[in-house]
Amino acid sequence: MFSTEAIPPELSDTSPPGPVRDDWIRRTSPDGPPPRMTVAVYAADPVLRVGVVQQLRHRPEVDLAGAGAMDSARVSLVVADTVDDDVAALLGRLRHNSATRTGLVIGTLGAGGLQRVIECGVAAVLRRAEADQDQLLRLVLATGNGEGMLPGDLLGELLNHVGSLRRSALDPGALSLSTLTTREADMLRLVSEGLDTAEIARKTSYSERTVKNVLHEVITRLQLHNRAHAVGYALRNGLI
């Protein structure tokens, strides 16, 4: 369960309580300072939430949203250890809120984690180990302005994924990694290493039910008999 409690007065800024004002863009003149970005912070762990709030509360570029204004904040900042089913559900809900854009501060991203957060509409990601005050502010501003922000290694992973999709579009009949989604390939690779459903779920931060559904979809789509058959097929055709 993600905390939506009001930010304590000692951690909030000096803005009056109540809904986020809809004139945030009009609050300054063209020659004045830039408008303040309204930010709602979500974290299952209240300690994580307070830590992020403390980092941002004195920044003049930021207004921290209280409990009554979370859904109308310009930026929704989600802070988590991993992208588990609860985090994915929250990201999915925020994706359908047209009033906000979502940024993610994450401890670790398991196999297929980047694809999962992108599917949830997140384009700005920061690792918790790198989340000092300046980097958090950069993440907030990038998110609010609709810009992407990814660590270098995740950017490389994204480019590789986009490249595989492009190759698939140019030559749909070719067998390549793009025959499987990143998540499917990652799970089959773990099956080939001897991991069972529970171990794959822990490795990938998915639920056991999701792991079973993904592997069942691969087996059904490729008209195979079982997981061992799927692994053999993928290895023979260079898919993992």
Side-chain angles (χ1 to χ4, degrees):
M1 179 68 68
F2 279 78
S3 172
T4 57
E5 296 178 359
I7 296 170
E10 65 272 17
L11 296 182
S12 64
D13 58 22
T14 56
S15 300
V20 175
R21 291 156 294 188
D22 60 6
D23 62 339
W24 74 280
I25 293 178
R26 301 191 297 272
R27 276 187 272 169
T28 59
S29 68
D31 298 326
R36 301 180 77 183
M37 198 75 74
T38 53
V39 180
V41 180
Y42 296 83
D45 183 342
V47 174
L48 289 181
R49 185 170 186 269
V50 169
V52 171
V53 167
Q54 286 180 324
Q55 293 272 45
L56 294 175
R57 67 190 177 104
H58 291 310
R59 297 301 303 228
E61 303 92 340
V62 171
D63 273 332
L64 291 168
M70 301 282 278
D71 286 342
S72 54
R74 179 73 171 175
V75 173
S76 293
L77 200 58
V78 177
V79 188
D81 289 321
T82 61
V83 182
D84 57 20
D85 286 348
D86 288 338
V87 173
L90 173 63
L91 295 175
R93 179 177 73 78
L94 293 172
R95 182 181 186 181
H96 291 95
N97 178 1
S98 60
T100 193
R101 295 189 176 106
T102 306
L104 178 65
V105 181
I106 192 72
T108 59
L109 274 176
L114 178 60
Q115 180 183 348
R116 195 177 194 191
V117 300
I118 290 174
E119 288 171 354
C120 291
V122 178
V125 178
L126 178 65
R127 286 200 173 90
R128 273 176 45 198
E130 302 167 355
D132 60 20
Q133 186 179 121
D134 289 339
Q135 288 299 316
L136 280 172
L137 179 63
R138 181 169 170 246
L139 177 70
V140 165
L141 297 179
T143 302
N145 291 324
E147 300 169 357
M149 176 178 165
L150 292 174
D153 60 316
L154 294 184
L155 180 59
E157 181 181 333
L158 176 62
L159 291 174
N160 286 337
H161 179 63
V162 170
S164 71
L165 292 177
R166 184 170 181 268
R167 288 191 297 273
S168 178
L170 291 173
D171 187 5
L175 280 175
S176 67
L177 184 60
S178 59
T179 304
L180 301 173
T181 67
T182 301
R183 179 168 66 175
E184 290 168 346
D186 287 334
M187 289 189 184
L188 278 181
R189 195 173 291 111
L190 293 173
V191 171
S192 74
E193 294 171 3
L195 276 65
D196 61 21
T197 299
E199 291 169 326
I200 294 172
R202 286 193 294 271
K203 277 270 191 181
T204 61
S205 299
Y206 288 101
S207 68
E208 291 185 34
R209 181 178 179 181
T210 298
V211 172
K212 291 177 181 177
N213 288 342
V214 169
L215 293 174
H216 177 74
E217 163 63 22
V218 172
I219 292 167
T220 302
R221 190 176 72 244
L222 299 179
Q223 300 180 351
L224 305 170
H225 299 304
N226 50 40
R227 293 185 182 186
H229 192 189
V231 168
Y233 176 93
L235 289 170
R236 285 194 303 274
N237 291 286
L239 303 181
I240 61 173

